[in-house]
Amino acid sequence: MLETSARLLQLLSLLQLRREWTGPALAERMSVTERTVRRDIGKLRTLGYPIHASPGIAGGYQLGAGAQLPPLLLDDDEALAVAIGLSAVTASPVSGLGEASVRALTKLEQVLPGRLRPKFAGLRTAVTRMAAVSTPVNPEVLTAFSAAITERRVVVFRYERHDGESSRRVVEPVRLVDTGRRWYLVAWDTGRQDWRTFRVDRCRSVPSPRDRFPGRPLPASDLAAYVQKSITRSPYSHDVVVRIHAPVADVSQLVPPNIAELEDDAGRTMMRFGADSLDWPLMHVAALGFDFDILEPLALQEHALTVAARLIHAAGPTAHATAPGDGHGPVSRSS
């Protein structure tokens, strides 16, 4: 019985390793007869593994998808990869996924071989995930959008805007984008006849599928960049452009992609983002600790001079500072 069980595990591992095997190839690999292979294939099928067989000289055995999820066999590297992946998504913004990941990780740790436990413990200790503010997303909403994107179906759902107003939206979904903190949907809004970006966590109902829709030219070749521009610049009153006197690699460590667009500018960084007030950009950019030039808008340059004069006055008569310029051209901040 032990020999049979070990052989079944070996056969299952081989079927998971390659898409298709011929009977003779499996028999040679396992050092058994083809008749034994056929018998073992039958036993795996009774255990719930959907193994398809195609007849003929070029035919063979293939492990397919079934109605239930049967046990999987993982090698050492695969087991570590799955364990670290489950550990990483325990803080996922998808509602319920974190809890499911913890349960799956607990099951995996119980059967993790002793030789792998030190490696997993070392990796888990060495990696720290910074907590990020995120709004939970209903997994049913994500699944419905994903299916509609695959099948090119129009969907209908209720959506709540940032001001709290809720409305019925009919859209043609084309892509889901994960920014790490939130999920966004890129879709053609049939009511507004334009492309829109929707925050998935603001969907107040599970999308209902409707008729199929034909393909149309996308708003951008890089939809992730399109979403980044939509959430960092488009919704705001002021479009801010500053040049940071530091490489992109340094600035990107302090400015996440959901805050601003960063672009290399001959060793410096061109930073673009949106703002509803003129005070927030000054505080945010000054706090980075790098010299910078304000390129746009002109109102921000003038506001920077006003704030600079106010700060110099607040520092008192003993402050060793030069008065700001006359407001023409970019304004620089020195460290």
Side-chain angles (χ1 to χ4, degrees):
M1 179 64 69
L2 181 60
E3 180 181 353
T4 302
S5 299
R7 194 173 64 245
L8 290 177
L9 289 174
Q10 182 188 12
L11 176 58
L12 180 59
S13 179
L14 291 173
L15 290 171
Q16 292 176 354
L17 183 63
R18 185 187 299 178
R19 180 171 179 81
E20 190 170 19
W21 287 86
T22 64
L26 285 173
E28 180 181 359
R29 188 70 174 265
M30 298 173 61
S31 301
V32 297
T33 64
E34 292 184 46
R35 181 180 178 183
T36 300
V37 170
R38 289 193 296 271
R39 186 168 60 247
D40 289 347
I41 290 290
K43 292 178 180 178
L44 287 177
R45 285 172 174 162
T46 61
L47 294 175
Y49 292 93
I51 302 175
H52 307 303
S54 53
I57 299 177
Y61 298 102
Q62 183 180 22
L63 184 62
Q68 295 181 339
L69 181 65
L72 299 176
L73 288 178
L74 304 173
D75 61 27
D76 288 2
D77 291 339
E78 291 169 342
L80 281 176
V82 172
I84 293 298
L86 288 171
S87 181
V89 299
T90 52
S92 171
V94 180
S95 179
L97 188 58
E99 295 86 342
S101 300
V102 171
R103 294 196 303 270
L105 183 59
T106 301
K107 293 178 181 179
L108 182 59
E109 285 183 319
Q110 288 177 345
V111 297
L112 204 62
R115 64 181 180 278
L116 297 182
R117 293 181 182 276
K119 291 184 180 180
F120 174 62
L123 285 170
R124 197 174 188 182
T125 303
V127 177
T128 300
R129 188 180 189 274
M130 294 183 65
V133 178
S134 59
T135 306
V137 173
N138 185 346
E140 290 185 57
V141 174
L142 279 178
T143 302
F145 277 139
S146 179
I149 290 171
T150 301
E151 300 175 6
R152 284 191 175 182
R153 288 191 178 276
V154 174
V155 290
V156 181
F157 59 96
R158 293 206 64 80
Y159 185 73
E160 183 179 300
R161 301 194 320 177
H162 66 280
D163 58 4
E165 181 181 344
S166 177
S167 61
R168 179 177 180 268
R169 311 301 282 266
V170 182
V171 306
E172 300 173 0
V174 296
R175 187 69 55 83
L176 284 166
V177 176
D178 178 16
T179 66
R181 295 176 65 245
R182 293 188 177 99
W183 285 86
Y184 291 87
L185 173 73
V186 180
W188 175 265
D189 192 316
T190 61
R192 290 154 180 79
Q193 288 295 295
D194 197 6
W195 289 99
R196 289 291 189 269
T197 300
F198 299 92
R199 268 179 52 175
V200 178
D201 61 277
R202 287 182 177 162
C203 293
R204 294 298 173 253
S205 66
V206 177
S208 301
R210 294 293 188 265
D211 297 334
R212 295 182 183 273
F213 63 87
R216 65 174 71 243
L218 297 177
S221 57
D222 187 346
L223 290 182
Y226 173 80
V227 169
Q228 183 188 28
K229 182 178 180 180
S230 298
I231 64 179
T232 59
R233 298 173 65 186
S234 298
Y236 300 97
S237 304
H238 303 285
D239 196 7
V240 179
V241 182
V242 296
R243 182 189 296 113
I244 310 293
H245 295 198
V248 172
D250 295 340
V251 179
S252 62
Q253 296 183 30
L254 303 173
V255 181
N258 62 297
I259 296 297
E261 295 179 74
L262 304 179
E263 180 183 347
D264 179 68
D265 181 35
R268 296 174 295 183
T269 302
M270 198 68 71
M271 180 175 172
R272 295 180 172 87
F273 59 98
D276 286 327
S277 74
L278 295 177
D279 290 317
W280 184 84
L282 290 179
M283 292 186 295
H284 180 71
V285 178
L288 297 178
F290 303 116
D291 291 346
F292 64 91
D293 305 320
I294 299 175
L295 305 182
E296 297 178 20
L298 178 61
L300 184 59
Q301 297 179 8
E302 296 171 346
H303 188 62
L305 293 173
T306 301
V307 173
R310 187 180 302 130
L311 292 175
I312 291 173
H313 176 76
T318 59
H320 300 284
T322 58
D326 59 2
H328 299 294
V331 176
S332 298
R333 176 261 187 196
S334 299
S335 322

